[in-house]
Amino acid sequence: MKKRGFDTQEIVEKLREKGIEVKAQTLTKYLTEARRLQESRKAKRQDTPAAHHRQD
C-alpha cells in the first residue's frame, strides 16, 4: 500500500477496518524492519556466485 501512495495512517485505518489493531508507530517500525530484511536477502543473493551448469 505504501508503494501505491497510501500513508501510514491510511494503512492503519484500513487494517483497523479488517479487525487488525496496530498503532502507526508500530506499523512504521515493522515496515522498516521488513524492508531491511528484504534488502539484506537481496544483497546476499547478489553476493552468491551463480551455479555453473554442465553441458554434456
Side-chain angles (χ1 to χ4, degrees), residues 1 10-22:
M1 289 180 77
E10 289 173 314
I11 297 170
V12 167
E13 291 168 9
K14 292 289 185 187
L15 290 171
R16 189 171 291 130
E17 289 173 9
K18 300 291 184 182
I20 301 170
E21 294 291 329
V22 65

Side-chain angles (χ1 to χ4, degrees), residues 2-55:
K2 291 287 270 187
K3 288 180 181 180
R4 287 191 255 152
F6 289 87
D7 68 20
T8 304
Q9 190 58 44
E10 289 173 314
I11 297 170
V12 167
E13 291 168 9
K14 292 289 185 187
L15 290 171
R16 189 171 291 130
E17 289 173 9
K18 300 291 184 182
I20 301 170
E21 294 291 329
V22 65
K23 293 181 182 179
Q25 183 179 6
T26 305
L27 180 61
T28 299
K29 178 183 173 195
Y30 289 159
L31 292 173
T32 301
E33 289 176 9
R35 184 174 56 249
R36 285 184 186 152
L37 181 61
Q38 186 177 31
E39 289 170 357
S40 173
R41 287 180 180 165
K42 185 177 179 181
K44 284 182 183 179
R45 276 187 273 138
Q46 290 175 350
D47 291 342
T48 305
H52 296 290
H53 297 285
R54 292 177 45 194
Q55 292 182 351

